[in-house]
Amino acid sequence: MTSQPSSAPGPGGGRAGPAADVGRWFSTATRNPLDGPGPTRGGPRLPAWGPMEGAQYGHRSTDAEIDAALELLRGREVAVLTGAGMSTGSGLPDYRGRDAVPRSPMTYQEFMGHDLARRRYWARSTVGWEQFRGARPGPAHRRLAALSPDVFETTAVITQNVDGLHTEAGSDPVIDLHGRLDRVRCQQCEALSSRLALHRRMLAMNPELAARLPQLAADAAQAPDGDAEVDRTSSFRYPPCPLCGGILKPDVVFFGESARREVVSSAFAALEEATALLVLGSSLTVQSGLRFVRAAGRAGMPVVILNDGPTRADPVATVRVHGRLEDLLERWLSRAGARR
């Protein structure tokens, strides 16, 4: 699922600037020649992600097809699996849609093994954090929350997103399969802390960047490939864990890292309680999400997929619906007469 990046509602209900492109924070760390000698990259480089070659976007299924998918789910216990397409309406760009900017994702091994990679990550995310935390639930988040329990009973919303917007929109329970960006976890002692508190601390440690933060944030929001000036901040300072001195990392799953075992177990438990699986806004490119579709298939469970653009599970979907999520879910709400 994809759309043009939009302005996210601000805390007071008004419109804020475009939310930060979180994917750019995870771009692989490359050495800028101005930084002097050093590694050309911090670790193994993955192929660049971007729009799927040859994929068709913008197609919308007929009303009859959309309604048939609703009837298949109505009155059931449904596990919902969501991806980045859910949050494009909140101004958070996706990875694989037609408007996605190609990028090589940073790996867990790169972040943990190289100081340069950590400096680059924290510098970029410090610039984008204020924008990111201003993102608010979009129409797709709110309409999904409104469907349960009037239309179907949700055993859980299992989300691959790290923005916390499903919870804010009122979905319950929500399983954050890949963690959340508003938390930080020490990689040595496992202590959790607030990303906002760390943000304030890093601004204090980097007063020159802090003084130029509004300008850098505006530049980063306009640059499709990230802010080059931020990329040159090899002198950016970041703190260790205050409890044990270990490496602090956002409490999210990086590429090359496995989701936490207890979280995955909770997600499979929610799938086992369900009698149908609904996939929203995910290309299912990575195994982390695709495995739930495969498990549903093995259990003989119907799988309904709503997405703009192809998914890896299209051949096995019971019903495949194309279109913008907010429009498709609005159609379901109108047909079902669900309370808002």
Side-chain angles (χ1 to χ4, degrees):
M1 178 69 185
T2 183
S3 65
Q4 293 289 346
S6 61
S7 298
R15 306 301 291 181
D21 183 349
V22 179
R24 290 206 304 261
W25 303 355
F26 295 93
S27 297
T28 190
T30 54
R31 178 178 60 83
N32 189 291
L34 298 180
D35 290 332
T40 57
R41 61 176 181 262
R45 182 186 296 268
L46 297 178
W49 281 25
M52 294 185 178
E53 186 175 352
Q56 293 185 352
Y57 298 96
H59 173 65
R60 186 180 189 275
S61 296
T62 66
D63 288 346
E65 291 169 328
I66 299 169
D67 295 345
L70 171 63
E71 292 307 314
L72 182 59
L73 298 174
R74 192 193 292 268
R76 288 180 177 265
E77 292 76 34
V78 178
V80 183
L81 175 66
T82 72
M86 286 294 300
S87 296
T88 55
S90 298
L92 300 178
D94 60 7
Y95 285 93
R96 291 286 191 179
R98 60 181 169 186
D99 300 315
V101 177
R103 62 176 63 87
S104 297
M106 180 184 292
T107 65
Y108 173 78
Q109 293 76 14
E110 185 177 3
F111 182 90
M112 293 299 298
H114 299 271
D115 172 69
L116 174 64
R118 292 193 292 275
R119 289 177 187 269
R120 184 175 192 262
Y121 172 81
W122 287 122
R124 291 161 73 93
S125 65
T126 295
V127 169
W129 176 252
E130 290 293 343
Q131 294 169 290
F132 171 78
R133 74 187 191 98
R136 294 295 179 264
H141 298 104
R142 296 193 296 270
R143 289 165 187 170
L144 173 61
L147 285 168
S148 181
D150 290 351
V151 181
F152 51 73
E153 188 74 39
T154 301
T155 62
V157 174
I158 306 164
T159 184
Q160 300 170 86
N161 300 335
V162 296
D163 49 40
L165 296 179
H166 279 300
T167 298
E168 189 174 344
S171 288
D172 183 52
V174 175
I175 298 174
D176 297 299
L177 187 63
H178 293 162
R180 286 181 54 151
L181 267 175
D182 58 2
R183 300 188 303 243
V184 177
R185 185 182 295 270
C186 174
Q187 300 303 287
Q188 181 167 302
C189 71
E190 294 281 309
L192 283 173
S193 56
S194 162
R195 175 66 179 87
L196 180 58
L198 178 63
H199 175 71
R200 291 168 175 165
R201 185 177 179 189
M202 288 192 293
L203 288 180
M205 295 174 68
N206 298 274
E208 183 177 348
L209 181 143
R212 303 178 58 228
L213 190 59
Q215 175 193 344
L216 291 173
D219 291 345
Q222 296 172 2
D225 57 351
D227 178 35
E229 189 162 1
V230 173
D231 286 349
R232 290 196 294 268
T233 313
S234 59
S235 61
F236 187 87
R237 299 175 61 206
Y238 60 89
C241 172
L243 299 180
C244 72
I247 294 175
L248 294 177
K249 172 182 164 293
D251 189 30
V252 300
V253 177
F254 277 45
F255 295 95
E257 181 182 12
S258 298
R260 298 183 70 83
R261 184 175 302 175
E262 65 274 16
V263 177
V264 175
S265 296
S266 296
F268 273 111
L271 182 63
E272 290 174 1
E273 295 174 5
T275 59
L277 174 65
L278 171 63
V279 180
L280 299 172
S282 175
S283 65
L284 299 170
T285 302
V286 296
Q287 181 64 25
S288 180
L290 182 63
R291 58 184 162 179
F292 295 103
V293 177
R294 289 175 172 168
R298 290 192 297 269
M301 188 182 300
V303 176
V304 177
I305 299 178
L306 275 61
N307 196 57
D308 179 15
T311 83
R312 193 174 172 187
D314 283 356
V316 299
T318 309
V319 178
R320 178 65 168 91
V321 180
H322 300 263
R324 294 172 59 94
L325 288 185
E326 54 265 39
D327 297 338
L328 300 175
L329 295 177
E330 175 63 24
R331 169 80 183 183
W332 281 6
L333 284 173
S334 298
R335 294 289 294 175
R339 291 171 295 180
R340 298 305 178 108

